[in-house]
Amino acid sequence: MFGLVLIAILGVMGGAIAYIGDKIGTKVGKKKLSLFGLRPKYTSIIVAVTTGILITASPYHPNHCVP
């Protein structure tokens, strides 16, 4: 039972991370921003992937938020 709950949680979190990364990448692409001389299209892809990596790697734990 725990395994199914864990799979469901990971699926929802993965979807949320992908959605947030996509929205940030879209905003960067629409503003025509450029990093390292890259085209805005590739800059938005890099920003979206980096956002997803940073959100996933962030040290969030529910017990740390409880006073």
Side-chain angles (χ1 to χ4, degrees), residues 1-39:
M1 185 65 180
F2 176 73
L4 294 176
V5 172
L6 182 61
I7 290 171
I9 289 172
L10 289 175
V12 170
M13 287 185 65
I17 291 168
Y19 178 78
I20 292 168
D22 182 54
K23 287 298 176 186
I24 292 173
T26 301
K27 286 183 181 182
V28 169
K30 285 185 178 183
K31 289 184 179 182
K32 306 282 189 207
L33 298 178
S34 179
L35 287 176
F36 311 117
L38 294 173
R39 294 179 57 202

